[in-house]
Amino acid sequence: MHASDIKRQALNELEEEYEEELLDLEKCTAALNKILKEKETLEKELDPYDTEGCLGIKLSQARDLINEGKSDLKHSKEVNDQIEKNLNELNELRRDLKEKFDKLNCYQTTLQYLKVVQHIENLCSELKQETSKRDDEKCVTLFANLTEISRVLSDCKVTHLKEHLKESILFWHNVLKDKLAKDFLDVLKQMKWPFLSVNFSLVCPIEVNVDRLQLLSEYLLQIEIPRESNLPVDGPSGVLSNFLPPCLPIEMLIQPLRKRFLYHFYGNRKTNRPDRPEWYFTQILTWIRDHQEYVGTWMQTVIEKFGLHHLDVKTEFTRGLVQLAAEKLNSELPSLQFDDFHFSHTINEALGFDKELREVYNYPTSEPGIIVILTQASVLVKWLNMEKKYAMEKMDGILSSNTIEAFDLLMSDVEDLKITTCADAFITLLQTIAERYKCLPQPGHRLQFLELQLELLDDFRVRLMQIVNAEQGDYMETKVPMVANTLYYVEGVLVDWGSMLHYLNLYYYKTQSTGENNKYNTFSSPKLNTLEESATTGLETDSLFVETLALYRRFRRDILSGLSEAVLIEVRKKSREYRREGWTSMKVGKDFRSLSLTPSACPMFEVLAKRLHQLQKKLQNKLFTTVWRNIATQLDTFLFEDLVMDNRFNEGGALQLKFDITRNLLPLFSHYTDIATNYFPQLIESSTLLNLAKGSALLLRETLLALKEASGVEDTRGKMLKETGVNYFTPDMAVKVLNQRTDITVDRLIVD
């Protein structure tokens, strides 16, 4: 702050404190003395050299604290130096101790290692002694101790020790296995196992042999090398690797059967016939049938005694025998692939074997079977090619140009579905293929056969198209109507298949593998009206067959549309004279009941009735409904445009037209529906307008024309027409029909 500012501030403070006293000299002198005294006191307190002053006391205390801090700092440095010295001595001691402990631990580990080695050697020595003494129980106990050491050492990094232990375990496992197996097989011989005589059901082994067999089974189970261990276990490899070895007792039971199988179905024996795979398949099934129950009775209790509840001895026994068949089939197939007939025969027999195995003997689907051999890449490709080859040959036979019977109707068709012979044979062909491949465990393999089915469906459709295109002459005498029935039956079957679990699963796998879930649009024919929907099976969008169904449906619609058009062409031709009648000059009585059909209409109605009757006999009911509805709808339009709107009518002509429609045309279609009037709205309403009383017709026409031009007036034309009985025609069309009357219009070209 500037000096002048300090001075000014001091003056302001004096004025505020003393005010008028500053004008009194004595008071000013007293105030000055007071201030000077206060100044002296403050200067004394702030004198750093005055030991009694406030500032002097504080400074003295600060000097004492500084000296004390210097002393503490010196002491802490001395302590820190001592700590560092002690730490260095401690680290040296720790290193020394670590070296000694490491050495001690090494000695202890070595000692323990030697103890384990010694324990293994002692167990092996004891095993050697007990083996010579034929003490089986003691032997299996000692062997169990060996395997327990292996379990304890499983997480230890003692490679050489574990290798030595593994060799010891495998050695004594084989020794004990051979010894127990010999005793086991001796007991089996005493029990006359396997039971191969025709009277095997009368066999009843003595109890002492069964007890001995079960005891030996217990010993074999105790020397079993666990599958979860890291020790090697003998078993099949390659394509047969899914066949896990059965437990040792079951393996011993299978051994005599294996010897017999090798004797009969390998080498130069007459029973070893590659062209007769059913011989060894039947033999395996026979052995399963004859021995399965005995195995379950003798062995399951032994298995459960050791807590091996996950093992089912019947399944183990069956799997071991199935493996024999799989090995045999695997050895035969490479040579059979060059012989189509024998290859196909073998595939059929193998599939039949697997089916009987699963369904009759309850062999679980989770267990490997003979199918694993058939799904090898080379075999599967050959199988697919053979399926396609024989399917094509079958289709050639079904649809041969010389086979008229292909489109004959089945005599067993109780539901009158008009099922043709070729349709039934083709569906049976597809079903047979499905039955063969549906047991394949891999979805990818089943999808390959599905693609073959879809290919055959498309080929069948193309063949039917070729047949239709080749037909000539009277369409009613050709195969065309029966082709429509064939297509419709196949459609219905495909829709049913699409909801079956087998095909639903394949649909799921296919959409998952392709990443697609497309919704396909159905095909439609412009020549068929929407009424056709009620006569066809709806397409399921979530189906494997949606594209195939769409193509079949389109083809069938085209055929039905062609049949309808063929009938209409004949009708148009036969109606020429009828449409050229003198409708303006007809003289008929007023009694409607005395009228008869216009003579020139007879050919038209005759051909129409004939063709409808023929179509009803030829086509399946729903297909015929589609056709007659389409004919009726198009006939209504044709007669309206080419007869009503192309002629003028006097009173007699209008009455005659009404008679022809209501007493002849409608009754003709009433054979097929109770509401025939719904399909001829144009003809019926034309007849209504043409037969209105002259005054009513004239008034209606004038009113319709007047309201058309009026503005600001409610349009009641639609209401007026409804009161007249006209619901289909628009007011403008109604006027055009009224203009065809000769009694209310003169100029045919009158402009509405």
Side-chain angles (χ1 to χ4, degrees):
M1 185 178 289
H2 198 271
S4 59
D5 294 333
I6 295 174
K7 184 178 181 181
R8 188 180 299 110
Q9 183 178 355
L11 290 174
N12 290 335
E13 292 178 355
L14 287 172
E15 289 178 354
E16 289 178 359
E17 183 174 357
Y18 296 102
E19 295 179 352
E20 295 181 356
E21 292 181 2
L22 295 175
L23 301 176
D24 189 336
L25 181 59
E26 293 181 359
K27 292 182 179 180
C28 285
T29 302
L32 177 61
N33 292 333
K34 179 182 178 183
I35 292 172
L36 291 173
K37 187 177 181 179
E38 290 177 354
K39 177 183 178 186
E40 183 181 355
T41 301
L42 287 172
E43 288 176 346
K44 186 177 180 180
E45 290 289 333
L46 296 175
D47 185 0
Y49 300 104
D50 187 353
T51 57
E52 294 181 357
C54 178
L55 183 59
I57 292 171
K58 296 297 182 184
L59 289 173
S60 177
Q61 292 175 348
R63 282 192 291 270
D64 293 341
L65 289 172
I66 290 172
N67 292 331
E68 184 179 351
K70 289 180 179 179
S71 176
D72 291 341
L73 181 62
K74 181 180 179 181
H75 179 67
S76 66
K77 185 176 181 182
E78 293 173 353
V79 172
N80 186 59
D81 292 341
Q82 184 64 37
I83 290 173
E84 288 183 356
K85 180 181 178 181
N86 293 339
L87 285 174
N88 290 333
E89 293 176 355
L90 183 62
N91 286 334
E92 291 179 4
L93 179 61
R94 185 175 61 182
R95 284 193 294 270
D96 184 51
L97 288 174
K98 184 177 184 300
E99 290 177 1
K100 292 180 179 179
F101 277 118
D102 288 345
K103 188 176 293 185
L104 179 61
N105 184 57
C106 181
Y107 291 153
Q108 288 178 335
T109 303
T110 303
L111 179 60
Q112 188 66 33
Y113 189 95
L114 291 174
K115 285 182 178 179
V116 173
V117 172
Q118 186 62 46
H119 188 44
I120 293 173
E121 293 302 319
N122 291 339
L123 288 173
C124 291
S125 298
E126 289 185 59
L127 274 168
K128 185 176 181 180
Q129 294 176 6
E130 299 301 331
T131 303
S132 61
K133 294 179 182 179
R134 301 183 62 82
D135 189 343
D136 294 339
E137 183 175 2
K138 183 67 174 178
C139 287
V140 296
T141 302
L142 292 171
F143 183 82
N145 292 336
L146 268 181
T147 57
E148 179 62 18
I149 296 174
S150 176
R151 186 189 66 80
V152 173
L153 294 178
S154 60
D155 296 329
C156 297
K157 297 180 180 179
V158 284
T159 307
H160 296 293
L161 178 59
K162 289 197 289 188
E163 185 65 25
H164 171 65
L165 179 59
K166 181 181 73 173
E167 291 176 357
S168 300
I169 290 175
L170 291 177
F171 173 79
W172 287 109
H173 169 76
N174 291 330
V175 169
L176 295 176
K177 178 182 175 182
D178 291 343
K179 179 180 181 301
L180 294 172
K182 182 178 182 303
D183 296 340
F184 195 95
L185 294 174
D186 288 342
V187 175
L188 288 180
K189 288 180 180 178
Q190 295 175 23
M191 298 172 65
K192 302 187 183 304
W193 176 278
F195 308 137
L196 304 175
S197 66
V198 293
N199 295 321
F200 75 91
S201 59
L202 302 178
V203 174
C204 184
I206 60 176
E207 187 174 352
V208 64
N209 285 336
V210 174
D211 292 341
R212 177 63 177 162
L213 186 72
Q214 291 178 329
L215 180 61
L216 290 170
S217 297
E218 292 181 15
Y219 294 158
L220 286 169
L221 287 173
Q222 292 180 73
I223 68 166
E224 187 95 51
I225 296 178
R227 292 172 183 171
E228 63 272 11
S229 70
N230 294 324
L231 298 175
V233 179
D234 293 335
S237 59
V239 71
L240 297 171
S241 59
N242 288 336
F243 285 90
L244 297 176
C247 59
L248 286 178
I250 301 302
E251 183 180 326
M252 295 298 105
L253 288 172
I254 293 174
Q255 186 172 325
L257 296 170
R258 172 181 283 274
K259 288 182 178 179
R260 288 181 175 273
F261 190 85
L262 295 176
Y263 176 79
H264 287 291
F265 300 110
Y266 286 85
N268 297 323
R269 304 296 298 178
K270 292 182 179 180
T271 48
N272 181 24
R273 292 273 301 274
D275 60 331
R276 295 291 185 182
E278 61 270 26
W279 288 359
Y280 65 83
F281 285 139
T282 302
Q283 184 63 77
I284 293 293
L285 292 173
T286 302
W287 285 343
I288 293 173
R289 180 197 66 196
D290 294 348
H291 299 85
Q292 195 178 59
E293 289 302 319
Y294 289 99
V295 172
T297 302
W298 297 339
M299 296 298 169
Q300 193 62 46
T301 55
V302 178
I303 292 290
E304 293 176 354
K305 179 180 179 180
F306 285 88
L308 304 175
H309 302 291
H310 62 285
L311 293 181
D312 182 275
V313 292
K314 290 184 180 180
T315 300
E316 295 268 304
F317 179 74
T318 303
R319 184 176 68 242
L321 292 179
V322 172
Q323 183 180 338
L324 296 178
E327 291 170 350
K328 175 64 176 175
L329 179 63
N330 191 45
S331 67
E332 296 285 0
L333 277 178
S335 59
L336 289 175
Q337 291 194 49
F338 301 101
D339 188 323
D340 290 350
F341 177 78
H342 289 150
F343 178 85
S344 300
H345 176 64
T346 302
I347 293 293
N348 285 331
E349 291 297 330
L351 293 173
F353 170 77
D354 187 78
K355 183 178 181 181
E356 184 172 352
L357 196 66
R358 309 286 184 182
E359 296 180 358
V360 178
Y361 298 102
N362 300 317
Y363 187 56
T365 56
S366 58
E367 293 289 338
I370 203 80
I371 301 300
V372 70
I373 308 301
L374 304 182
T375 53
Q376 298 176 86
S378 59
V379 178
L380 190 66
V381 170
K382 176 68 175 180
W383 181 5
L384 281 165
N385 290 335
M386 294 307 302
E387 289 282 6
K388 183 175 181 179
K389 174 186 175 182
Y390 286 125
M392 290 297 184
E393 290 177 358
K394 182 71 173 177
M395 288 171 60
D396 288 340
I398 293 172
L399 297 176
S400 172
S401 58
N402 297 324
T403 308
I404 302 176
E405 295 80 6
F407 293 95
D408 288 348
L409 298 181
L410 292 182
M411 299 300 294
S412 59
D413 183 13
V414 295
E415 298 180 11
D416 196 27
L417 297 177
K418 299 284 194 303
I419 303 174
T420 59
T421 303
C422 66
D424 180 67
F426 178 64
I427 292 300
T428 301
L429 172 65
L430 295 181
Q431 285 177 323
T432 303
I433 294 174
E435 286 297 323
R436 278 196 288 267
Y437 80 79
K438 68 191 304 183
C439 62
L440 300 182
Q442 293 297 326
H445 296 152
R446 298 201 299 273
L447 284 173
Q448 293 182 59
F449 283 91
L450 171 69
E451 292 301 323
L452 173 60
Q453 285 182 295
L454 295 176
E455 182 181 346
L456 294 175
L457 280 163
D458 193 60
D459 186 78
F460 186 68
R461 177 183 59 84
V462 171
R463 289 171 183 249
L464 292 179
M465 291 180 67
Q466 293 171 346
I467 290 173
V468 170
N469 293 335
E471 290 296 329
Q472 297 179 355
D474 187 350
Y475 55 91
M476 286 300 175
E477 302 301 327
T478 65
K479 305 183 185 75
V480 175
M482 306 313 294
V483 170
N485 293 333
T486 302
L487 292 169
Y488 187 68
Y489 176 68
V490 174
E491 285 179 54
V493 171
L494 293 183
V495 170
D496 291 340
W497 285 359
S499 61
M500 291 172 59
L501 182 60
H502 166 66
Y503 291 106
L504 286 175
N505 285 335
L506 287 181
Y507 174 76
Y508 170 78
Y509 289 123
K510 186 175 183 180
T511 53
Q512 290 296 310
S513 62
T514 60
E516 298 175 354
N517 192 6
N518 296 326
K519 306 298 183 182
Y520 302 97
N521 294 323
T522 57
F523 292 94
S524 60
S525 172
K527 297 181 181 180
L528 295 179
N529 57 38
T530 56
L531 294 175
E532 191 264 358
E533 296 297 332
S534 63
T536 58
T537 305
L539 290 180
E540 299 292 337
T541 54
D542 294 336
S543 168
L544 287 167
F545 305 104
V546 63
E547 289 184 299
T548 302
L549 278 168
L551 293 171
Y552 268 72
R553 190 177 190 183
R554 180 178 183 178
F555 182 24
R556 173 175 53 81
R557 282 179 164 181
D558 289 344
I559 289 178
L560 297 183
S561 180
L563 290 173
S564 302
E565 186 61 29
V567 173
L568 289 167
I569 289 174
E570 285 193 83
V571 169
R572 292 189 190 102
K573 182 178 179 181
K574 297 293 184 179
S575 68
R576 185 174 301 153
E577 296 299 323
Y578 180 62
R579 287 181 282 117
R580 293 178 179 177
E581 280 285 349
W583 300 100
T584 59
S585 58
M586 283 191 178
K587 296 181 180 180
V588 295
K590 294 184 179 181
D591 186 1
F592 188 78
R593 291 175 296 181
S594 63
L595 296 178
S596 60
L597 176 64
T598 305
S600 59
C602 290
M604 178 185 73
F605 283 111
E606 181 181 357
V607 71
L608 183 60
K610 175 184 175 182
R611 291 310 189 189
L612 287 175
H613 179 68
Q614 289 176 326
L615 287 171
Q616 186 180 28
K617 288 184 61 178
K618 294 278 187 178
L619 292 175
Q620 195 269 350
N621 290 338
K622 291 184 178 180
L623 300 186
F624 173 66
T625 299
T626 300
V627 172
W628 76 251
R629 286 178 177 176
N630 189 41
I631 292 173
T633 304
Q634 292 195 52
L635 183 60
D636 179 53
T637 300
F638 167 68
L639 291 178
F640 172 72
E641 293 177 352
D642 287 43
L643 193 155
V644 176
M645 300 307 295
D646 205 35
N647 288 281
R648 304 196 67 206
F649 297 84
N650 64 357
E651 182 180 358
L655 191 62
Q656 183 63 48
L657 178 64
K658 180 180 180 180
F659 181 84
D660 293 345
I661 293 171
T662 57
R663 295 299 178 88
N664 293 278
L665 181 61
L666 294 181
L668 181 59
F669 284 89
S670 295
H671 291 292
Y672 317 116
T673 179
D674 295 331
I675 50 174
T677 54
N678 290 354
Y679 300 96
F680 297 94
Q682 298 176 97
L683 288 178
I684 291 173
E685 294 190 1
S686 296
S687 175
T688 300
L689 292 172
L690 292 175
N691 284 280
L692 280 177
K694 179 178 179 180
S696 299
L698 187 58
L699 177 61
L700 176 62
R701 178 178 180 279
E702 296 302 327
T703 304
L704 292 175
L705 291 173
L707 289 175
K708 179 180 179 181
E709 303 296 334
S711 59
V713 179
E714 181 183 0
D715 189 355
T716 59
R717 293 180 295 170
K719 182 179 179 181
M720 293 178 61
L721 288 174
K722 286 183 179 180
E723 292 175 351
T724 309
V726 177
N727 298 290
Y728 182 83
F729 285 147
T730 63
D732 290 343
M733 184 57 69
V735 170
K736 289 181 179 180
V737 174
L738 289 171
N739 286 342
Q740 302 303 106
R741 294 177 56 136
T742 59
D743 57 349
I744 61 175
T745 57
V746 177
D747 188 357
R748 182 182 178 86
L749 300 178
I750 186 170
V751 179
D752 297 336

